[in-house]
Amino acid sequence: MEFLDQVEKARKVNVPLLAVETADQHGTVELLKVALDGKCPVLSWDLLNGIKGINEKGRAEVKRLEEFLPSDPTMSKKPRLGEVTTMPVNALSIARELVKDSALLMLNAHRCVDDDGFVQAIMNLRDLFKVDGRMVIFLCPDINL
């Protein structure tokens, strides 16, 4: 499949940021999940659910990251990663801590590119992710970067 070959080639040369225009974001997530499963932690992000693991390694990575979340004395329980990463800038800030070779799939990323904080967060991740194979894949029906 040409699309998956292109993603694999991008991963091999440590492309840190990749935009994928697709009319079926959830279908594309499933394709990527299957293609990358076993190779790396695969996580997804959307505005409602925040960051969540979508394969076994991704779910383990979410649990690892939750260990670093600060406790809030006003809450009856420690927050979950998905709860504190619904805002895109928060998600990208925490994404700095992802392990080597992780793939974060961001759904509806086109809705975030006009936000200055989002743009800065992406710029801050670029060099960090390039050195160790981490990647953010923006999924959207159309995008102007």
Side-chain angles (χ1 to χ4, degrees):
M1 197 171 244
E2 186 179 326
F3 164 66
L4 294 177
D5 290 340
Q6 290 176 334
V7 171
E8 193 59 39
K9 286 177 185 175
R11 286 186 56 77
K12 284 182 182 176
V13 295
N14 291 345
V15 171
L17 308 170
L18 183 67
V20 176
E21 291 185 349
T22 174
D24 183 4
Q25 294 181 55
H26 290 287
T28 304
V29 166
E30 287 304 312
L31 275 175
L32 290 167
K33 176 183 165 185
V34 170
L36 298 173
D37 197 29
K39 297 178 184 176
C40 67
V42 183
L43 304 99
S44 69
W45 173 87
D46 67 56
L47 195 58
L48 183 62
N49 297 303
I51 293 177
K52 65 181 184 176
I54 60 172
N55 69 355
E56 187 176 330
K57 289 181 179 181
R59 287 185 291 276
E61 181 62 1
V62 164
K63 286 183 181 181
R64 186 188 73 81
L65 290 172
E66 284 177 340
E67 296 292 319
F68 299 103
L69 293 178
S71 294
D72 184 344
T74 64
M75 297 180 74
S76 60
K77 63 180 179 85
K78 190 170 183 175
R80 308 281 302 185
L81 187 65
E83 296 167 345
V84 298
T85 58
T86 56
M87 298 306 297
V89 172
N90 292 350
L92 293 173
S93 180
I94 287 177
R96 291 181 299 198
E97 305 304 326
L98 289 170
V99 294
K100 178 181 176 184
D101 294 324
S102 296
L104 175 61
L105 315 178
M106 295 192 80
L107 284 81
N108 285 319
H110 65 293
R111 299 202 177 265
C112 305
V113 296
D114 290 332
D115 179 88
D116 292 339
F118 182 81
V119 172
Q120 187 63 58
I122 290 302
M123 291 303 300
N124 291 351
L125 289 181
R126 182 193 173 274
D127 290 343
L128 288 174
F129 279 25
K130 184 152 183 63
V131 298
D132 64 7
R134 292 179 285 176
M135 177 182 266
V136 177
I137 302 175
F138 305 109
L139 302 174
C140 43
D142 184 35
I143 192 166
N144 287 319
L145 297 174

